Amino acid sequence: MELYEEEAEHLGPEFDTTRHACRAAIVKSPALHYLAHYSNGVFDFGVDALGEPPTAPDALPGGTRREELKRLGRHLTFQATALDRALQEARTGRLIRTVLHTEEGALFCDSVVPTEHVVGLVLDHAGAGPLFGHPAVDEADRAVAELATALRADLSLGSLNPGGWATFGAPRPLTGTEPGEPHVTVAVGAPASCADAVRAQDLHLVAHVAGGEVQTMADRFDDPALGPFFKQITVDARRRFYLGFARELGGLATRLNRAVRPVVGGLLVRAVLDVEMGAIYYYRLGPGEYVVGVTIDQSRVGEADDRMSALAARLTPFGP
């Protein structure tokens, strides 16, 4: 595999360890086609296996895929910073990982520390079936998460478990879980399967949105097993936040789709906003229609994503 490396003029020897780690990550994971490092939204360096020739010295600026990816990476890191501020109201910690999954690839933006991000790309996504669990996308996702964790270790910082990959599939029995019906905030003739999908073990809230309005929203926030997750915010306050955010997520997805589609290709069909304490999921069902999921348990981010993927597949039998 032939790699192409590019670095900004400001780069100094203090980035050597980080550059070597990024290069090792893309060599280790054939699914990754591109990796770049950003500080305060500024491109530091990139390494890729895109198979494209080096940029000619007399080439017009911004005319290559690499230049497009650099701009997209800058845009995504700025978006992550803005989203991080917006999500603070839910009291689930800062945004540590963003996944933008299209019909033709996926883009990942993982935070090392609040001002430092790594951006990864997998292209040529192919094949039908559930979105979560696609081998190439999952491999690239894990690789970027492991890289961010390794770069944190270089700073003597512990893992934030981005993607929940470090605990994915590990047994974790819940104590105090009570059977019963989920709490339903809104129900306007939406699929009952949304309410059926929520459970205290992993997927704690699901909302179905169509035409800009939340058609149904159900959650398990009242379950006694989730009590420790509500020490800083009330159940009602968190419900109100997610009700509003679910409604706004369609507009955000549209804006992100406009930015990502020219570079990655295809419609945005899945997005993950992974915070320190859980994640928010977006799955497109059709024009103006999508489902939103929430987990507030970081150790179950992967399981909740898997459950959302299965729900979206049931609601769109012919694909999103």
Side-chain angles (χ1 to χ4, degrees):
M1 177 173 58
E2 185 176 351
L3 298 181
Y4 176 84
E5 299 185 50
E6 180 181 7
E7 62 180 59
E9 292 182 356
H10 66 263
L11 219 65
E14 65 274 11
F15 283 89
D16 286 351
T17 300
T18 305
R19 287 178 59 201
H20 293 154
C22 288
R23 194 179 197 283
I26 206 167
V27 168
K28 180 181 177 182
S29 176
L32 268 177
H33 292 95
Y34 178 86
L35 264 178
H37 184 275
Y38 291 81
S39 299
N40 293 300
V42 176
F43 174 83
D44 295 315
F45 63 85
V47 55
D48 70 69
L50 295 171
E52 297 184 356
T55 305
D58 58 348
L60 294 174
T64 67
R65 168 167 271 189
R66 290 190 181 100
E67 289 294 323
E68 291 177 334
L69 284 168
K70 284 165 63 176
R71 285 198 302 270
L72 180 57
R74 283 195 296 269
H75 177 76
L76 187 53
T77 57
F78 283 125
Q79 281 288 332
T81 301
L83 280 168
D84 180 52
R85 289 194 294 267
L87 294 172
Q88 291 302 313
E89 186 180 339
R91 303 291 180 89
T92 49
R94 64 183 185 84
L95 184 64
I96 61 172
R97 165 180 164 264
T98 303
V99 179
L100 302 178
H101 190 164
T102 77
E103 295 167 313
E104 298 181 17
L107 194 68
F108 314 95
C109 178
D110 286 30
S111 173
V112 180
V113 293
T115 57
E116 181 182 355
H117 295 84
V118 284
V119 174
L121 172 73
V122 56
L123 292 170
D124 304 322
H125 169 263
L131 292 171
F132 181 83
H134 184 279
V137 174
D138 279 10
E139 180 186 327
D141 193 354
R142 284 178 183 263
V144 178
E146 289 172 1
L147 172 62
T149 299
L151 296 180
R152 283 181 60 81
D154 289 340
L155 301 173
S156 299
L157 296 172
S159 172
L160 295 172
N161 191 15
W165 292 117
T167 49
F168 183 64
R172 183 178 178 272
L174 286 177
T175 58
T177 300
E178 293 181 354
E181 296 299 315
H183 180 277
V184 178
T185 302
V186 184
V188 189
S193 52
C194 291
D196 294 339
V198 294
R199 61 183 186 180
Q201 290 91 330
D202 40 43
L203 185 56
H204 302 134
L205 179 147
V206 170
H208 171 246
V209 184
E213 294 298 328
V214 178
Q215 302 298 308
T216 192
M217 190 175 90
D219 68 72
R220 289 284 183 177
F221 286 167
D222 290 321
D223 194 290
L226 300 182
F229 294 94
F230 290 91
K231 294 175 182 176
Q232 299 184 45
I233 187 172
T234 66
V235 167
D236 286 342
R238 197 167 266 162
R239 280 185 182 131
R240 286 194 299 271
F241 172 81
Y242 288 126
L243 179 63
F245 194 79
R247 188 182 297 114
E248 297 169 2
L249 196 50
L252 173 63
T254 298
R255 294 192 297 274
L256 290 171
N257 184 70
R258 289 197 195 106
V260 172
R261 190 172 187 177
V263 184
V264 183
L267 287 170
L268 181 68
V269 290
R270 167 180 169 249
V272 183
L273 304 177
D274 187 353
V275 290
E276 290 178 286
M277 201 169 83
I280 300 173
Y281 311 95
Y282 162 92
Y283 276 80
R284 183 181 186 271
L285 301 181
E289 185 179 9
Y290 55 94
V291 283
V292 179
V294 174
T295 182
I296 53 176
D297 185 343
Q298 189 62 25
S299 71
R300 288 294 175 261
V301 167
E303 284 83 355
D305 203 348
D306 190 16
R307 199 162 175 82
M308 280 296 297
S309 180
L311 172 63
R314 288 197 300 273
L315 296 176
T316 54
F318 301 106

